[in-house]
Amino acid sequence: MRHTLAVLVENKYGVLARVSGLFSRRGFNIDSLAVGITEDPTISRMTIIVSGDDHVLEQVMKQLNKLIDVIRVIDLSSEEFVERELALIKVNADANNRAEIIQIVDIFRARIIDVASKSVTIEVTGDIEKIKAIQTLLKPFGIKEMARTGIVALKRGSKSL
Amino acid sequence: MAGKAERMTGARAFVECLYRENVEIIFGYPGGVLLPIYDELYDAHLYHLLVRHEQAAVHAAEGYARATGKVGVCLATSGPGATNLVTGIANAYMDSVPMVAFTGQVPSSMLGNDAFQEADITGITMPITKHNYLVQDVKDLPRIIKEAFHIASTGRPGPVLVDIPKDITTDELDFVYPDTVELRGYKPTFKGNVQQIKRAASVLKGSKRPVIYAGGGVIGSEASKELLAFAEKIKAPVTTTLTGIGGFPNDNELYLGMPGMHGTKYANYAIQESDVLIAVGVRFDDRVIGKATSFAPNAKVIHIDIDPAEISKIIKVDVPIVGDAKHILASLIDHVSECNTKDWLDKIATWKRDFPLFYVNRDDVIKPQYILEQINEVCPDAIIVTEVGQHQMWAAQYFKYKEPRTFISSGGLGTMGYGFPAAIGAKLGRPDKIVVDVSGDGSFQMNSQEMATIVQNNIPIIIAIFNNGYLGMVRQWQALFFEHRYSHTTIENSVDFVKLAEAYGAMGIRVTKPSEVKAAIEKAVEANGPVLIDFIIEREENVSPMVPAGAAINEILDLEDIQ
């Protein structure tokens, strides 16, 4: 099962290495990892997508909690939450198929952020399924390059962590 | 001290911090980037023991910590000095021993440049420290050292490394030592949850075959008195793991000895037939539990541990209680009453009679078990420190430990060469105690250079080498599982250990006959100085009994006849 963890950590030197090292060392798989500063500049937030059964999840959370620089670990998947990822996709495009690509971009409420004579670069935001879907549709045109931010997520409703 | 800031260098502040933490002794070895710190140590009011290899400094710090319960402190220079600490740090991490390791580092401006004697020791030790620090500003030094000692000694204890670049030691700061530590990500649970304690008591209520399985956590939390009171109140037998030895008096009739691969048969049988297993400060190590799916198959498991990550890590636990073992046991005692264990204890008494630990003594060749019995005769209150291998298991089986912190051994990591330097630390921490390093001829050669340290500083330690000319434990496995093909385990005639001792200026005694064993130990005790005894023992004696790797722990075999 896939779990979305929100991990609040000290915004300090070496914290990312501690967290990522823990995963590799104990054989946990990270599907996605995103890190950024929060409203409090001394705290960073990591959103980690991890696959595994309940036992694996329990160990991941406990081992993360053991790190001194980890302030809190929350399994967002246990409640309602929203998640988004941003992807930049550079696709082969010329005068013949540009219109078709723009149509796909519109359907996905994505945006074209750069146009060249033989390519367009698309910015798309959504959950994993949405990114996967647009990727599938754009594939026939030839995806030249792709960059993804990794998932970030928040709890639904007015409550915060 | 707070508020009254004195201007000083980082090196001076380093020493001041050690004073504030009541450090009496540090184990170290100097080097280029440590010159400013060593200059401060020149007339500091704390004892610095100069070892001959940094690995000995870290093991000695651990031996000191285990013998005293205080935080062990070691110091090594950058690069190779720091990397030489790695094994000992890993050892302390595996056995949860409180330690602060300080390393020198190249100047901040040169970090990352592959400078002379540069090694990324915080990166290297990340997986084997409870936490580590690279000091980036001299102003942070007091806070970091305060935090390091706090983290090392609280919760589940462990090693913390502080890496100090050279410029930090010469930069100046207004020194104030913080009174408190503020770590929002570190709040170990100390008191056990009352509901869980009550649940544990109710599980115990109907138990007819309880077993207490106690480990290093009992030693670490100083819970041995509570453990004894608890066991006697519910009338349950107690087995102690390798790191838990000494946590329960070995002469108590409820004592089962050690469980697991080289445990007693009756400890293993009792665990397997138990209906409630009370695990206290243990981590269900594979050397204890054997085949995990067959471990204590009929037992409800109560697990008391300070580290929530140990709960249900290996074995599914029915009643977890997270917190300090001493505190939880004290509280649990108030909620439990005597279990009806008469039949159970009778059965265990029968097992003890029918399946005792045994060896076949001889008068023409020295049996290793006999040496331990004789050490027990001559100095029953000694601290026994061991290396790793067969002698370690014999020391766990055949010496009668009466109190905590009298058995010091490398459990989780299994580090050969650990015992001798750890014995040095133990002796300096407990000068009132006779300290015996029970060693093998293989292990001893991994840190034998420390003979110079104990002679130079006249540290009275008895080194008892169980000399069989083999790397005995590996040989035993080769005999049992690899058709006696002794591939690279023969080390006979390595060195004349007696002459080696004498070359360093220590007393050396060789013992070849069983009749001389006791007198040699007495002579060593009387000498009250550095003594090495070279016991020439039965070459192919096996550690028995034994659970083959991967088997259930009740599938335990006698090896006396398989030679």
Side-chain angles (χ1 to χ4, degrees):
Chain A
M1 174 160 171
R2 194 172 145 256
H3 293 271
T4 304
L5 303 182
V7 185
L8 299 182
V9 301
E10 297 286 349
N11 182 16
K12 273 188 195 163
Y13 151 93
V15 179
L16 179 59
R18 287 179 204 282
V19 170
S20 59
L22 177 97
F23 274 76
S24 60
R25 181 160 75 244
R26 297 208 177 249
F28 305 139
N29 287 316
I30 300 180
D31 294 346
S32 165
L33 170 70
V35 195
I37 202 162
T38 63
E39 71 282 0
D40 176 346
T42 67
I43 296 178
S44 293
R45 181 177 178 125
M46 297 186 179
T47 309
I48 304 175
I49 313 292
V50 55
S51 302
D53 58 20
D54 288 349
H55 180 250
V56 169
L57 178 77
E58 188 182 328
Q59 270 297 310
V60 168
M61 292 182 68
K62 285 175 169 176
Q63 294 293 345
L64 282 169
N65 267 316
K66 274 177 81 167
L67 297 177
I68 309 292
D69 287 336
V70 169
I71 301 163
R72 272 190 81 188
V73 185
I74 305 99
D75 179 14
L76 291 173
S77 323
S78 64
E79 295 174 60
E80 290 285 298
F81 69 104
V82 287
E83 60 172 15
R84 288 294 180 270
E85 181 174 19
L86 186 146
L88 300 179
I89 309 171
K90 190 177 284 184
V91 185
N92 287 324
D94 53 27
N96 296 326
N97 59 15
R98 196 170 287 133
E100 199 181 336
I101 291 172
I102 289 170
Q103 215 174 11
I104 293 170
V105 166
D106 285 345
I107 292 166
F108 279 86
R109 279 187 261 169
R111 294 202 300 155
I112 291 177
I113 55 170
D114 187 46
V115 184
S117 59
K118 288 182 179 163
S119 73
V120 293
T121 298
I122 297 158
E123 173 198 316
V124 59
T125 306
D127 59 16
I128 287 181
E129 296 307 314
K130 181 174 167 184
I131 308 270
K132 204 167 148 191
I134 192 169
Q135 194 184 344
T136 308
L137 287 173
L138 291 173
K139 205 174 171 190
F141 302 98
I143 294 175
K144 292 163 71 78
E145 206 176 350
M146 184 167 176
R148 300 170 65 162
T149 56
I151 298 264
V152 291
L154 289 179
K155 235 184 230 188
R156 277 192 190 277
S158 51
K159 273 211 298 191
S160 56
L161 292 183
Chain B
M1 202 53 209
K4 217 173 124 193
E6 191 188 333
R7 192 84 184 154
M8 63 177 73
T9 64
R12 176 77 211 147
F14 171 81
V15 172
E16 287 292 332
C17 292
L18 296 186
Y19 292 160
R20 300 299 193 283
E21 292 297 331
N22 299 313
V23 174
E24 302 162 327
I25 177 164
I26 61 175
F27 302 88
Y29 203 99
V33 298
L34 287 181
L35 280 162
I37 283 179
Y38 268 87
D39 191 58
E40 288 294 338
L41 288 173
Y42 190 68
D43 42 19
H45 306 297
L46 46 83
Y47 186 74
H48 174 280
L49 184 76
L50 175 66
V51 292
R52 293 297 180 275
H53 188 298
E54 289 90 350
Q55 190 186 351
V58 62
H59 290 327
E62 189 183 325
Y64 172 86
R66 285 172 102 142
T68 62
K70 298 177 195 161
V71 178
V73 180
C74 61
L75 174 62
T77 195
S78 64
T83 56
N84 278 342
L85 296 181
V86 168
T87 302
I89 293 171
N91 197 87
Y93 186 67
M94 286 287 263
D95 287 349
S96 307
V97 180
M99 176 191 290
V100 176
F102 292 101
T103 48
Q105 183 55 279
V106 300
S108 308
S109 60
M110 293 167 81
L111 272 171
N113 287 353
D114 304 319
F116 176 66
Q117 291 192 331
E118 179 181 0
D120 172 15
I121 197 64
T122 48
I124 290 168
T125 58
M126 213 172 260
I128 53 165
T129 49
K130 189 170 170 187
H131 194 53
N132 64 22
Y133 294 90
L134 170 65
V135 184
Q136 291 171 305
D137 186 326
V138 70
K139 290 199 291 292
D140 297 333
L141 188 64
R143 174 185 58 81
I144 287 174
I145 293 178
K146 175 89 182 174
E147 288 177 5
F149 278 86
H150 175 72
I151 292 168
S153 58
T154 54
R156 179 179 182 170
V160 177
L161 180 135
V162 180
D163 197 24
I164 309 174
K166 188 178 183 184
D167 52 304
I168 301 290
T169 66
T170 52
D171 285 353
E172 291 195 342
L173 75 160
D174 295 317
F175 181 82
V176 179
Y177 203 60
D179 293 326
T180 53
V181 167
E182 279 176 44
L183 292 161
R184 53 188 163 182
Y186 180 68
K187 304 262 187 296
T189 308
F190 185 79
K191 284 175 73 172
N193 181 299
V194 178
Q195 287 314 110
Q196 291 298 93
I197 290 171
K198 285 182 181 163
R199 270 185 67 203
S202 74
V203 165
L204 270 170
K205 204 168 183 185
S207 172
K208 291 194 165 55
R209 300 186 309 281
V211 170
I212 299 170
Y213 152 43
V218 169
I219 312 286
S221 69
E222 310 281 359
S224 55
K225 276 201 183 70
E226 288 74 11
L227 178 66
L228 178 62
F230 175 66
E232 290 192 326
K233 183 160 187 192
I234 65 167
K235 295 276 183 291
V238 178
T239 177
T240 53
T241 67
L242 187 78
T243 48
I245 286 176
F248 194 82
N250 291 17
D251 52 3
N252 189 296
E253 61 178 356
L254 292 171
Y255 189 57
L256 293 170
M258 183 171 73
M261 181 173 276
H262 294 299
T264 61
K265 286 188 170 184
Y266 40 92
N268 287 359
Y269 294 162
I271 288 172
Q272 292 304 78
E273 291 202 16
S274 63
D275 61 1
V276 177
L277 186 69
I278 307 114
V280 189
V282 293
R283 57 184 180 83
F284 297 86
D285 182 83
D286 54 275
R287 286 296 191 263
V288 170
I289 68 166
K291 190 178 175 189
T293 48
S294 309
F295 181 72
N298 306 311
K300 280 211 157 40
V301 179
I302 297 166
H303 190 187
I304 299 168
D305 205 280
I306 190 91
D307 182 0
E310 289 303 336
I311 306 294
S312 295
K313 185 181 83 176
I314 308 283
I315 295 286
K316 182 92 184 72
V317 170
D318 298 286
V319 185
I321 314 175
V322 174
D324 177 71
K326 183 187 180 79
H327 185 272
I328 291 170
L329 284 173
S331 167
L332 191 53
I333 288 168
D334 294 337
H335 289 89
V336 293
S337 47
E338 185 177 331
C339 296
N340 181 10
T341 56
K342 191 183 175 305
D343 291 349
W344 179 228
L345 294 178
D346 285 348
K347 187 167 193 180
I348 287 168
T350 311
W351 282 333
K352 281 185 177 177
R353 198 177 56 234
D354 294 346
F355 309 108
L357 272 181
F358 76 99
Y359 69 99
V360 181
N361 206 2
R362 278 167 48 180
D363 52 18
D364 56 337
V365 58
I366 302 173
K367 290 286 191 159
Q369 302 92 334
Y370 176 72
I371 303 171
L372 282 150
E373 288 174 348
Q374 294 307 304
I375 296 173
N376 198 54
E377 280 276 315
V378 176
C379 40
D381 298 320
I383 293 178
I384 303 294
V385 188
T386 81
E387 310 284 345
V388 167
Q390 289 184 307
H391 64 273
Q392 177 190 31
M393 293 298 110
W394 290 317
Q397 293 172 330
Y398 286 93
F399 191 91
K400 301 285 169 235
Y401 302 91
K402 289 177 217 64
E403 51 180 292
R405 306 194 181 281
T406 54
F407 178 72
I408 297 174
S409 190
S410 168
L413 197 66
T415 308
M416 290 174 70
Y418 167 86
F420 181 25
I424 297 173
K427 182 68 189 179
L428 291 176
R430 291 297 306 273
D432 55 315
K433 287 276 196 181
I434 294 168
V435 174
V436 182
D437 171 33
V438 171
S439 185
D441 46 325
S443 284
F444 181 69
Q445 292 185 71
M446 284 208 181
N447 269 318
S448 62
Q449 78 285 343
E450 298 308 318
M451 289 300 294
T453 307
I454 61 168
V455 171
Q456 187 188 15
N457 297 281
N458 192 28
I459 302 170
I461 288 172
I462 300 169
I463 301 155
I465 298 182
F466 286 42
N467 187 348
N468 56 12
Y470 283 119
L471 303 175
M473 187 59 96
V474 181
R475 183 212 57 76
Q476 174 169 337
W477 284 55
Q478 288 172 333
L480 295 171
F481 310 116
F482 292 88
E483 299 166 340
H484 290 81
R485 287 158 57 84
Y486 293 164
S487 180
H488 301 278
T489 44
T490 306
I491 54 167
E492 57 189 323
N493 306 321
S494 294
V495 63
D496 182 329
F497 287 109
V498 171
K499 282 189 183 157
L500 180 78
E502 287 167 357
Y504 279 110
M507 181 193 285
I509 308 170
R510 178 163 298 112
V511 184
T512 55
K513 295 193 197 92
S515 59
E516 298 166 343
V517 169
K518 190 173 183 184
I521 299 162
E522 285 168 345
K523 190 177 170 188
V525 170
E526 268 165 39
N528 192 29
V531 183
L532 182 153
I533 315 177
D534 184 22
F535 290 107
I536 309 300
I537 63 163
E538 163 85 84
R539 287 206 74 194
E540 301 207 4
E541 184 75 10
N542 286 323
V543 177
S544 178
M546 180 179 185
V547 178
I553 58 169
N554 51 332
E555 297 167 35
I556 184 164
L557 312 167
D558 287 319
L559 302 179
E560 262 299 310
D561 314 321
I562 315 170
Q563 274 195 24

